Amino acid sequence: MENRPPRRAPSRHAGSKAPLGVRRVAELLLTAGLTAGAVFGAALALNDPRFKELLNVRIGPGNGQSAGQQDPGSAGEAGQVPQAEGRLGAPPPGLEESDAPLAAADPPPLGSDSYHFLAVNGDGSPVGYSPCRPLHYVINNELAPAGSQQLVTESIATISAATGIRFIYDGTTAEQPSPQRPPYQPGAYGERWAPLLIAWTTPEVAPQLKGKVIGTGGSTHFSYDDGPKAFVTGGLDLDAPQIADELLNPDGHLYARAVILHELSHVMGLDHVDDPTQLMYPEIGTPEGLSAGDLNGLYELSKAQCRKDL
Ligand SMILES: [Zn+2]
């Protein structure tokens, strides 16, 4: 599945003058290219049955509000395709979507253009979450270190203020992280986009956490044909043993929170920057949290469009 866009290798900063004990953070996990048109093209090239499922779901009755971009002649046939759990697909559009953003993002106190986006639309606008619906999240906390729930809650509040996105905690889950995570899992979560999955996990379960990598984060975007993209769900994987060790240090909770904030910023749509004064630098050298560039990038992401069509 073509869900791993080319990214810079984490090791490229190995030679930087990072202090000892620098915290490494990983590349994004889930910025899957679920743009339907592109996926359809991939299906033709790859002959992967999963992509055909996505196409069928896309033009099925569940997405009738985008009729202008669909092939009505195919709807009946598509509607007969069973939409089994675990296959790529999309829920009925517009769930919980309001006419306007649910909250305003806090304007950054300082200007800075030291930020990059993980994905942009054809008009150059960054791909983010619709600010007009809440972003639900669940936590697999089976391996969560003691005291970590507060760090997650604080980090969510910080990102919510910076983006205007309203987060809703839906409780714990037994779902394990996977780079192939379906964005729509009606059997597990109902007929809506799957919630953001925050998983306390291990390198054995999540191989991208092997070595010094302490966390990964990213989101899945969706669009119709060549229309604008929006993130619909995401994943944030935290190396539970490594962070538990970190929390033994006097300032460990600060570093752990910085890791969570960094990964949540990936989830919202920020990419790494080469500027070591920003939290989105690929290594966390200080635990000071979001800097001016990070905050300005998140503020730009708060301007994403409402998406009743998704
Ligand atoms: Zn990162």
Side-chain angles (χ1 to χ4, degrees), residues 25-28 215-217 262-263 266 270-272 279-283:
V25 287
E27 304 299 331
L28 74 161
T216 61
H262 176 107
E263 303 308 340
H266 277 322
L270 288 187
D271 200 353
H272 288 150
L279 185 63
M280 293 318 290
Y281 190 65
E283 302 175 350

Side-chain angles (χ1 to χ4, degrees), residues 253-267:
H253 66 289
L254 297 176
Y255 277 96
R257 187 166 54 200
V259 169
I260 297 168
L261 280 172
H262 176 107
E263 303 308 340
L264 275 173
S265 296
H266 277 322
V267 167

Side-chain angles (χ1 to χ4, degrees), residues 113-305:
D113 60 0
S114 191
Y115 55 82
H116 291 307
F117 300 116
L118 285 168
V120 294
N121 288 303
D123 64 359
S125 63
V127 177
Y129 281 89
S130 166
C132 308
R133 74 176 68 181
L135 177 54
H136 293 259
Y137 69 101
V138 293
I139 303 180
N140 184 330
N141 66 353
E142 185 181 350
L143 301 176
S148 62
Q149 180 61 47
Q150 181 183 350
L151 300 177
V152 172
T153 301
E154 291 171 354
S155 300
I156 292 277
T158 297
I159 294 295
S160 181
T163 59
I165 296 292
R166 179 176 297 168
F167 288 79
I168 295 179
Y169 179 44
D170 285 355
T172 60
T173 180
E175 185 184 359
Q176 297 289 340
S178 166
Q180 312 297 331
R181 184 184 189 228
Y184 180 45
Q185 303 179 45
Y189 297 113
E191 292 189 349
R192 56 173 177 146
W193 294 110
L196 166 66
L197 173 62
I198 298 175
W200 292 95
T201 186
T202 67
E204 287 70 38
V205 174
Q208 71 274 14
L209 294 173
K210 284 180 178 173
K212 293 181 178 178
V213 174
I214 198 167
T216 61
S219 287
T220 299
H221 60 60
F222 195 94
S223 70
Y224 292 101
D225 298 319
D226 294 329
K229 306 178 185 71
F231 291 133
V232 292
T233 186
L236 192 166
D237 302 343
L238 297 164
D239 189 324
Q242 199 176 164
I243 293 179
D245 282 348
E246 185 60 49
L247 289 171
L248 298 175
N249 297 325
D251 59 355
H253 66 289
L254 297 176
Y255 277 96
R257 187 166 54 200
V259 169
I260 297 168
L261 280 172
H262 176 107
E263 303 308 340
L264 275 173
S265 296
H266 277 322
V267 167
M268 301 316 296
L270 288 187
D271 200 353
H272 288 150
V273 292
D274 288 332
D275 177 357
T277 68
Q278 306 300 325
L279 185 63
M280 293 318 290
Y281 190 65
E283 302 175 350
I284 296 175
T286 66
E288 294 168 356
L290 298 170
S291 295
D294 309 308
L295 289 168
N296 278 273
L298 292 170
Y299 191 71
E300 291 302 309
L301 287 163
S302 78
K303 301 173 184 174
Q305 299 296 307

Side-chain angles (χ1 to χ4, degrees), residues 69-82:
Q69 298 179 344
Q70 294 172 12
D71 177 2
S74 301
E77 178 186 342
Q80 297 167 14
V81 175

Side-chain angles (χ1 to χ4, degrees), residues 48-101:
D48 183 331
R50 292 173 300 175
F51 295 130
K52 292 177 181 173
E53 288 297 329
L54 176 63
L55 177 68
N56 285 331
V57 171
R58 183 177 69 85
I59 61 177
N63 292 310
Q65 291 185 11
S66 297
Q69 298 179 344
Q70 294 172 12
D71 177 2
S74 301
E77 178 186 342
Q80 297 167 14
V81 175
Q83 298 181 19
E85 181 187 355
R87 292 174 179 169
L88 290 173
L95 187 68
E96 297 185 297
E97 183 82 13
S98 297
D99 293 327

